Amino acid sequence: MTELQKRLIDNGLTLALFNLSPGNWDKGERGLASLPDREQEFLSSVHHALDYAAVLGCKSLHVMAGLRDRSLPQEDQVACFKTALAKAVEVAAPYNITLMIEPINAEDMPGYLLDTVDQALQIVQEFDTEKLKLQFDVYHCQKIHKTVSPYLKKSLPHIGHIQIANPPYRHEPGLGDIDFPALFKSLDATDYQGWVGCEYKPSISTLQSLGWAQHYLKNDQDKDAAQNS
């Protein structure tokens, strides 16, 4: 942990978000929160993640719901997930940490419990707390719903973190189906103050793939210069 902390400080970086333990990834697990026989393991993972977040200065944690358990009615598993989330929110409250839930498309993660934006948004709205937010992934939204803008618009008051990648191949902006300049322009017109994270697979080297961002970085630098003049 101290090595991670040192690297963040040395490079002037902020750790915006990381995932709670998904369980045994190699055995196909994709989260523990909705699994009724894993409550204690899930809560242990929450405490473990909070310890890391406190040291690393991270203010957001993604709670992975887990895969659909076909031995249970879906509504029972969702209820289990909500109970686990309530406990996690309570545990995280003293740390000033915001928890996130994220819908993931069925092609990339078959059987994931949260597989639509509407489903995840409904849960966040039910909790009605600043400590549980929606992690809005543009790539997953497009893959699930074949559109992004209407879902971004209605979800915005409940979004705590945005991630981007361009379908169909999950590459950087400019290579895929989504008009990112238009999307960023619409986002700039809102009061969203959170992070926009790049969760894509670079089509070229990582640094080269960030060429699309130069325009936005320059605009931010120009704004800062104007404000300080």
Side-chain angles (χ1 to χ4, degrees):
M1 194 187 316
T2 53
E3 177 63 22
L4 291 174
Q5 185 184 44
K6 182 178 184 302
R7 292 195 179 204
L8 289 169
I9 293 170
D10 288 349
N11 291 281
L13 296 175
T14 298
L15 181 61
L17 176 146
F18 64 89
N19 294 349
L20 267 66
S21 171
N24 192 326
W25 187 274
D26 291 338
K27 290 186 176 180
E29 293 183 338
R30 297 295 184 264
L32 303 172
S34 71
L35 306 183
D37 58 341
R38 308 289 286 278
E39 297 99 327
Q40 292 306 313
E41 189 177 350
F42 168 69
L43 284 176
S44 177
S45 77
V46 174
H47 285 286
H48 191 61
L50 288 170
D51 288 341
Y52 268 79
V55 171
L56 299 175
C58 181
K59 296 301 183 183
S60 299
L61 297 173
H62 172 209
V63 181
M64 296 190 71
L67 300 181
R68 180 79 177 87
D69 184 343
R70 301 296 175 184
S71 70
L72 295 173
Q74 182 163 351
E75 59 268 26
D76 290 353
Q77 191 175 0
V78 171
C80 179
F81 180 48
K82 292 177 183 178
T83 298
L85 283 175
K87 292 178 180 177
V89 167
E90 181 180 358
V91 170
Y95 291 78
N96 193 28
I97 297 289
T98 301
L99 302 180
M100 307 281 173
I101 60 173
E102 175 190 19
I104 299 177
N105 79 82
E107 182 180 338
D108 285 62
M109 197 171 286
Y112 195 69
L113 181 68
L114 290 183
D115 58 3
T116 73
V117 172
D118 292 319
Q119 182 189 22
L121 182 58
Q122 181 179 357
I123 292 172
V124 171
Q125 289 173 324
E126 285 180 20
F127 271 78
D128 191 24
T129 171
E130 291 298 308
K131 296 305 178 183
L132 182 67
K133 291 283 191 175
L134 181 66
Q135 187 169 317
F136 189 94
D137 190 297
V138 170
Y139 167 82
H140 287 304
C141 183
Q142 177 71 19
K143 294 279 281 189
I144 295 166
H145 301 292
K146 312 305 178 189
T147 186
V148 173
S149 294
Y151 287 92
L152 181 62
K153 182 177 180 180
K154 73 177 180 178
S155 301
L156 201 60
H158 305 283
I159 292 175
H161 186 81
I162 292 175
Q163 293 175 168
I164 61 169
N166 213 340
Y169 302 114
R170 209 169 188 170
H171 291 325
E172 62 269 20
L175 291 176
D177 300 336
I178 296 174
D179 181 353
F180 273 100
L183 186 145
F184 290 145
K185 184 176 181 180
S186 67
L187 191 60
D188 279 343
T190 73
D191 60 356
Y192 177 71
Q193 298 296 313
W195 291 94
V196 176
C198 300
E199 196 188 44
Y200 61 72
K201 302 173 184 177
S203 64
I204 47 181
S205 73
T206 299
L207 287 178
Q208 287 177 313
S209 79
L210 289 168
W212 63 270
Q214 293 304 311
H215 167 75
Y216 302 99
L217 295 174
K218 183 179 185 303
N219 284 349
D220 285 344
Q221 291 167 353
D222 290 344
K223 289 177 184 177
D224 289 342
Q227 291 172 353
N228 294 327
S229 61

